[in-house]
Amino acid sequence: MYTQALDVHGDSGDPADDLERERRFQTRVDREEKVEPKDWMPARYRATLVRQISQHAHSEIVGMLPEGNWITRAPSLLRKSILIAKVQDEGGHGAYLYSAAETLGVSRDQLIEQLLCGKAKYSSIFNYPTPTWADVGAIGWLVDGAAIMNQIPLCRCSYGPYARAMVRICREESFHQRQGFDIMMKLCAGTVEQKAMAQGALDRWWWPALMMFGPPDAASTHSTDSQRWKIKRFSNDELRQKFVDFTVPQAKFLGLAVPDPELEWNQTLQRHEFGAIDWNEFERVLKGNGPCNRERLEARRRAHEQGRWVREAAMAHAEKQRRRAACAA
């Protein structure tokens, strides 16, 4: 629906004219003006946004799966209701972001098809299993905590529809992070077995959470354009460092040990130094060889097929309403 009245402006064919347009566009971005859907924008800017927003949307939708299978097994009715609300939020985030991507001239059907066929990427973090209830807490604390660190700067993204969607998403993600930390506090204040369960979840999720920010800056092919156009305000490594510095004191408060023997406080730089990340594992998961890659995609394909009748019924109803309106007119 968002693409019906959208004019997608391409290059003019005149290199000098296109160069001047890009100069004026960059000046607008540097002045912190929001770019809106019908504004002229460089083709690379549009493509970068489609890639980033669609990957973000896919991550929200696939991210419902690791926790969704714990709804019926949550330890109390209160925990069940909280987890249902969280999973519902994630679905809403995906809907907001698909809508934002549609303003760039790509349809939601195209984006979903790219996900289902394996062409599109989503966050590698969601290809790890959740064997215990503590993993639900670790996801809220670490994964959603990393998401907030990454997404709050996106509220000032240069592209208006993305920035506005992120305001609400970040507010809801802050609830998710507190929910996860609350689970971890309860477990750490419980029995020896419960605290051991919390420690096991931290051991499993710490390194994947650091990988969430993407490859190191030296290996990132998209960071320069994203920062120049103020799509991203900070580099991958800057955000990763902020996350470590913010999260390590929380782990100490819980009485948990961060699974990194090289972790230490650098008094001179006033930051935590941490060990080397296994980027080979990151690449394996991105290429579809993680613990749950096939399971996650198969679950999405199955859900998409099972929901086909709902989409067809909604379209038929909309067509009936349109015909009635036309007859009445």
Side-chain angles (χ1 to χ4, degrees), residues 25-270:
F25 177 84
Q26 187 63 51
T27 299
R28 284 190 60 196
V29 170
D30 292 340
R31 288 201 301 255
E32 301 287 341
E33 295 180 17
K34 292 295 183 216
V35 179
E36 299 298 339
K38 292 179 73 69
D39 294 342
W40 183 89
M41 62 188 76
R44 292 198 326 280
Y45 177 83
R46 186 185 301 276
T48 299
L49 279 169
V50 169
R51 177 191 59 80
Q52 181 168 328
I53 298 174
S54 63
Q55 179 174 318
H56 192 167
H58 298 328
S59 299
E60 297 284 357
I61 297 300
V62 176
M64 300 163 68
L65 298 173
E67 295 170 297
N69 64 19
W70 272 97
I71 289 174
T72 58
R73 297 181 288 160
S76 69
L77 182 59
L78 177 61
R79 291 296 183 188
K80 284 179 172 64
S81 62
I82 293 173
L83 192 54
I84 288 171
K86 180 184 178 183
V87 171
Q88 182 177 348
D89 282 349
E90 306 293 4
H93 297 173
Y96 305 152
L97 293 166
Y98 283 133
S99 295
E102 284 181 307
T103 65
L104 293 160
V106 60
S107 74
R108 190 174 309 203
D109 287 343
Q110 287 176 283
L111 297 176
I112 292 175
E113 179 56 33
Q114 290 172 0
L115 170 65
L116 298 179
C117 74
K119 179 180 178 181
K121 302 296 184 185
Y122 56 87
S123 180
S124 61
I125 195 78
F126 300 118
N127 289 311
Y128 290 87
T130 50
T132 72
W133 172 247
D135 290 85
V136 176
I139 288 175
W141 171 37
L142 298 175
V143 176
D144 293 317
I148 292 169
M149 196 71 66
N150 194 39
Q151 293 171 10
I152 285 179
L154 293 175
C155 296
R156 296 173 55 221
C157 167
S158 61
Y159 188 58
Y162 193 20
R164 291 187 286 272
M166 290 312 305
V167 172
R168 177 168 179 174
I169 289 173
C170 285
R171 287 173 181 167
E172 293 177 349
E173 291 290 1
S174 66
F175 153 74
H176 300 166
Q177 195 272 344
R178 289 196 297 272
Q179 170 254 0
F181 192 72
D182 181 67
I183 291 174
M184 298 298 279
M185 281 201 302
K186 294 294 191 296
L187 291 172
C188 289
T191 65
V192 173
E193 291 79 7
Q194 287 172 325
K195 187 168 183 179
M197 185 189 300
Q199 181 65 61
L202 174 57
D203 293 346
R204 284 188 290 277
W205 291 93
W206 175 255
W207 292 108
L210 296 191
M211 295 177 197
M212 272 185 72
F213 296 97
D217 293 344
S220 177
T221 58
H222 301 290
S223 292
T224 302
D225 280 347
S226 290
Q227 289 185 270
R228 176 165 63 92
W229 288 322
K230 300 187 188 302
I231 297 172
K232 287 183 65 173
R233 298 280 175 159
F234 301 96
S235 73
N236 296 347
D237 288 341
E238 288 173 329
L239 290 170
R240 194 169 7 255
Q241 185 67 56
K242 284 175 179 285
F243 174 75
V244 171
D245 291 338
F246 187 78
T247 309
V248 168
Q250 294 180 334
K252 290 180 180 177
F253 175 81
L254 292 172
L256 299 176
V258 173
D260 180 358
E262 297 180 41
L263 182 71
E264 62 179 20
W265 176 250
N266 186 316
Q267 186 64 34
T268 303
L269 298 177
Q270 290 292 294

